C-alpha cells in the first residue's frame, strides 16, 4: 500500500536549513562572490566539498557556469558582493557564528564527515567505529531511515516490477523494506538483505511482521570485501551516495562481476541534474549526505558513465517518490 499523500514537501522543509548554512558559508566565510569568476579547482577546497557547495549555489540561482568558470548571476552581483550599492552580505553574515554554519565550514574545509560518540553513522572503514555495528545506535538509525523507505518502497515496487526475477539482492538493505515491497508483489520472488549483523536484527523483525520471513534471507557481510551473494537482480537503494567516487566504482565492479548474464543492477537514489546545477532539493540533500558520509548526491550521467564502463546497458530513470528514481542496467 502506497501513501495517500506525497511526503516530499516535508522532507524539503526538513533539509531546508542547509540552504541557510551553505549561503552563509559562501558569503561570510569563503567570500565567494567577491572572488568570481573562478574555476572549481581555484576554490581552495577538495573536489567533493567544492561540488556540494557550488551545486547548491547554482541551484539557488546565485552561480552559473560559463565553460569551466563559475560566475555570479545578476542577483548575486547586485546583492552579495561586499561593498556593492545594494549589498546584503552583512545581513547574511548575522548567521556566520551559528553552530550549523560553523559545523558546515569545518566539513567543507576538512572534507570529513561528522563522527559522534558512537562513531560515524553510515560508513564502514577499517580504523573507524561505526554506529551501525552497535546494537542501540544501529537500531535507532535503521528505524529512523525506515520512515522514508516505508513511503517510497511501495511506489518503487509498483513502478518497476520484477516480473520473472528469481532472487533479489538488497545491498545494504537495512530494514529490508524495499525487498519486502517486491516480495509482497511477486509471490515467486526470493530476496537476500545483505548488511551489518546489528542492522539485520531489524530486517528480520520487519520480514516477520510482513509475513515474508520464509522468502527473505538476512545475510551478514561487508559489501566491499565479502563474497557477493548470488542473485539475478541487485538493488542499491540509497547506498552509493554514502561513498566517494572511487568506492562507488569499486563496489559497482564487484557487484557487476558477480551478476549473471541477463542480470539487472538497479540504482535507486536521488539524481542531480547532469550538469550538476540542481535541482535545489537534491542539492540540499547532497549537502546533508556530505555532512554525514563520505559521499554526495550524483547525477544520472555519472552513474551511467560508471555502469557503461562495466559493459552494462543502461536505461532511463524511472521516478519513484521523495525526489528518488531507479536507474536500471542490464548485463
Amino acid at each position: 500500500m502506497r501513501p495517500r499523500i506525497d511526503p516530499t514537501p516535508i522532507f524539503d522543509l526538513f533539509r531546508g536549513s542547509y540552504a541557510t548554512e551553505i549561503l552563509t558559508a559562501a558569503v561570510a566565510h569563503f567570500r565567494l562572490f567577491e572572488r568570481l569568476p573562478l574555476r572549481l579547482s581555484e576554490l581552495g577546497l577538495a573536489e567533493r566539498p567544492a561540488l556540494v557547495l557550488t551545486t547548491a549555489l547554482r541551484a539557488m540561482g546565485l552561480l552559473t557556469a560559463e565553460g569551466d568558470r563559475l560566475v555570479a548571476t545578476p542577483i548575486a552581483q547586485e546583492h552579495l558582493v561586499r561593498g556593492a550599492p545594494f549589498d546584503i552580505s552583512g545581513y547574511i553574515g548575522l548567521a556566520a557564528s551559528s553552530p550549523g554554519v560553523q559545523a558546515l565550514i569545518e566539513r567543507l574545509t576538512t572534507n570529513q564527515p561528522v563522527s559522534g560518540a558512537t562513531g560515524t553513522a553510515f560508513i564502514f572503514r577499517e580504523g573507524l567505529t561505526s554506529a551501525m555495528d552497535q546494537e542501540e545506535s544501529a537500531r535507532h538509525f535503521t528505524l529512523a531511515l525506515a520512515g522514508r523507505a516505508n513511503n517510497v518502497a511501495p511506489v518503487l515496487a509498483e513502478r518497476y516490477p520484477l516480473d520473472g526475477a528469481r532472487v533479489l539482492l538488497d545491498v545494504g538493505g537495512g530494514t529490508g523494506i524495499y525487498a519486502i515491497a517486491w516480495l509482497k508483489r511477486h509471490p515467486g520472488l526470493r530476496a537476500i538483505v545483505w548488511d551489518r549483523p546489528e542492522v539485520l536484527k531489524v530486517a528480520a523483525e520487519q520480514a516477520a511482521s510482513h509475513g515474508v520471513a520464509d522468502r527473505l534471507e538476512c545475510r551478514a557481510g561487508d559489501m566491499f570485501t565479502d563474497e557477493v551473494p548470488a542473485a539475478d537482480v541487485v538493488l542499491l537503494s540509497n547506498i552509493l551516495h554514502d561513498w566517494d567516487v572511487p568506492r562507488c566504482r569499486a563496489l559497482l565492479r564487484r557487484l557487476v562481476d558477480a551478476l549473471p548474464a541477463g542480470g539487472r543492477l538497479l540504482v535507486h537514489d536521488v539524481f542531480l541534474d547532469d550538469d550538476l546545477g540542481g535541482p535545489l532539493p537534491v542539492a540540499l540533500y547532497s549537502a546533508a549526505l556530505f555532512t554525514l558520509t563520505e559521499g554526495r548526491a550524483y547525477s544520472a550521467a555519472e552513474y551511467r558513465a560508471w555502469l557503461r564502463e562495466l559493459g552494462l546497458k543502461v536505461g532511463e530513470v524511472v521516478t519513484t517518490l521523495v525526489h528518488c528514481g531507479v536507474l536500471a542496467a542490464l548485463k
Side-chain angles (χ1 to χ4, degrees):
M1 183 174 65
R2 60 183 296 173
R4 183 173 59 88
I5 300 173
D6 184 349
T8 301
I10 299 174
F11 282 91
D12 292 347
L13 290 169
F14 174 70
R15 296 166 182 161
S17 62
Y18 286 97
T20 300
E21 292 166 3
I22 285 173
L23 176 60
T24 306
V27 170
H29 180 81
F30 297 110
R31 301 182 72 153
L32 176 61
F33 297 98
E34 298 159 48
R35 300 164 56 194
L36 297 173
L38 52 68
R39 295 178 176 84
L40 190 73
S41 60
E42 297 170 340
L43 195 55
L45 298 172
E47 182 180 54
R48 184 176 74 110
L51 283 172
V52 167
L53 178 67
T54 58
T55 294
L57 294 170
R58 289 175 64 189
M60 292 175 195
L62 302 175
L63 284 183
T64 190
E66 293 184 358
D68 66 347
R69 288 153 63 91
L70 296 165
V71 300
T73 60
I75 190 173
Q77 289 174 351
E78 184 166 12
H79 299 297
L80 295 178
V81 175
R82 205 175 302 266
F86 299 101
D87 167 29
I88 61 169
S89 61
Y91 189 91
I92 303 297
L94 291 172
S97 60
S98 69
V101 172
Q102 291 296 309
L104 179 63
I105 290 168
E106 182 177 356
R107 303 278 73 77
L108 290 167
T109 52
T110 64
N111 194 24
Q112 295 295 321
V114 171
S115 182
T118 55
T120 57
F122 306 114
I123 58 174
F124 318 100
R125 189 184 289 279
E126 186 175 351
L128 292 178
T129 300
S130 173
M132 292 303 199
D133 285 331
Q134 301 173 56
E135 183 173 8
E136 184 177 349
S137 54
R139 177 171 290 274
H140 168 73
F141 283 120
T142 302
L143 290 174
L145 294 174
R148 180 177 60 170
N150 278 325
N151 283 274
V152 180
V155 180
L156 172 59
E158 173 188 307
R159 294 186 180 172
Y160 193 89
L162 294 181
D163 297 322
R166 299 183 302 277
V167 180
L168 166 69
L169 173 62
D170 190 353
V171 180
T175 57
I177 286 173
Y178 289 101
I180 289 168
W182 268 308
L183 289 173
K184 293 170 75 172
R185 188 179 182 89
H186 301 287
L189 182 68
R190 292 178 46 247
I192 301 167
V193 177
W194 194 28
D195 213 317
R196 314 296 284 193
E198 293 299 334
V199 172
L200 290 176
K201 293 177 181 178
V202 180
E205 294 167 6
Q206 290 286 330
S209 68
H210 286 277
V212 296
D214 59 329
R215 292 188 289 132
L216 189 146
E217 175 189 348
C218 294
R219 190 176 302 187
D222 184 323
M223 62 188 177
F224 288 105
T225 60
D226 291 341
E227 182 179 355
V228 178
D232 56 323
V233 180
V234 172
L235 172 68
L236 287 159
S237 184
N238 299 295
I239 296 297
L240 294 173
H241 65 215
D242 287 349
W243 304 96
D244 61 19
V245 172
R247 296 277 273 183
C248 287
R249 297 177 75 168
L251 177 57
L252 286 170
R253 179 169 292 281
R254 296 191 80 240
L255 297 173
V256 171
D257 285 347
L259 198 64
R264 285 174 283 175
L265 188 144
L266 311 179
V267 176
H268 180 249
D269 217 310
V270 297
F271 299 94
L272 288 171
D273 294 340
D274 286 352
D275 68 355
L276 303 183
L280 183 57
V282 179
L284 297 183
Y285 182 41
S286 186
L289 294 168
F290 165 79
T291 301
L292 295 170
T293 75
E294 295 182 353
R296 61 172 175 87
Y298 298 102
S299 67
E302 290 174 292
Y303 287 125
R304 284 193 181 98
W306 302 339
L307 293 167
R308 285 172 179 158
E309 286 178 2
L310 296 172
L312 274 62
K313 181 180 179 181
V314 188
E316 298 299 319
V317 174
V318 176
T319 60
T320 55
L321 206 66
V322 194
H323 303 295
C324 290
V326 60
L327 182 66
L330 179 69
K331 183 172 179 179

